[in-house]
Amino acid sequence: MAVLAASTARGRGKAAALLAAAGMVLLVLTAAGSVGAQGLLTGGGGPMVELLLIDPAELGLPALPEMLVLQGGGGFGRHQAWRVGGYGAAGQTAPTGDGSSFSLSYGGIHAAYLPGAQGAFPAVTPRTSLGVLFGLGMASLQHGSQPERLAFLLFRPEAAIEFGLGQLGTAQVGVTYTFPIPMGSSAALGDLRAIQRPGFRIGLIFGGF
């Protein structure tokens, strides 16, 4: 029953992150549509896949994988060379032989600057973007009958390269670095240094670029 409850909780956490991301896309696209005709704002968004490097030794479980795949998405509004919006994602490692696993979910507000894109629409391609995400997240470690969870504040700088794909949208390949700030304590999860590491994400943007 404990395993079933933990699985249900993880599923709810992932669903919440994905619903939040979907809601952000809808909100941004709606706002963009209301003023886009005036040329003041464009909007876009789409799905993404993220690969986060983790340190299993910091969790006391060296058998865990050293990479965590997260799925999610987000949206943004763009004015000139600035984008403001948000995104979220969630993922879980494959269970080890004894059933141990690590899961992570997060969401937050994202801002980015596109060098050289001032006044250009659509922005030049290929192009770069420099951004930062401020948000909240939840880490969960399943080891034994009871999972340990720890909420955290998230600060994440990033840099990305974007390539126009014509009518298909825009592909985005980025590098991130996660700085978690624990909101509490956990003997198993410690200070979350296990996820204070680089990551990579690939996304597809539809709409205003």
Side-chain angles (χ1 to χ4, degrees):
M1 294 296 292
V3 173
L4 178 60
S7 177
T8 302
R10 287 194 297 269
R12 289 176 178 172
K14 182 174 182 178
L18 295 180
L19 285 174
M24 182 63 72
V25 173
L26 181 60
L27 178 62
V28 171
L29 290 178
T30 301
S34 66
V35 297
Q38 305 176 36
L40 299 178
L41 179 70
T42 61
M48 72 170 189
V49 175
E50 180 179 345
L51 180 64
L52 178 65
L53 303 180
I54 63 175
D55 186 353
E58 288 285 346
L59 301 172
L61 295 172
L64 285 175
E66 295 184 355
M67 294 182 292
L68 173 63
V69 178
L70 301 98
Q71 301 177 50
F76 63 85
R78 177 192 163 205
H79 177 62
Q80 302 290 349
W82 291 94
R83 289 176 179 161
V84 178
Y87 67 83
Q92 178 180 344
T93 64
T96 61
D98 63 358
S100 299
S101 65
F102 175 74
S103 62
L104 186 73
S105 61
Y106 71 87
I109 298 172
H110 180 253
Y113 176 70
L114 283 69
Q118 188 75 19
F121 181 80
V124 295
T125 180
R127 55 185 173 271
T128 58
S129 66
L130 305 173
V132 62
L133 177 78
F134 298 95
L136 296 170
M138 178 68 72
S140 178
L141 183 65
Q142 178 68 46
H143 182 58
S145 59
Q146 294 294 329
E148 290 215 30
R149 299 185 180 89
L150 183 59
F152 59 92
L153 298 173
L154 176 62
F155 170 69
R156 169 184 280 182
E158 65 177 46
I161 300 177
E162 302 177 0
F163 304 90
L165 301 177
Q167 295 182 348
L168 293 178
T170 297
Q172 186 182 67
V173 181
V175 180
T176 66
Y177 198 94
T178 298
F179 291 97
I181 304 172
M183 300 172 62
S185 60
S186 167
L189 292 166
D191 58 1
L192 293 179
R193 196 174 297 273
I195 61 172
Q196 187 174 323
R197 305 193 70 193
F200 309 90
R201 67 185 184 92
I202 300 175
L204 187 60
I205 302 173
F206 303 101
F209 310 138

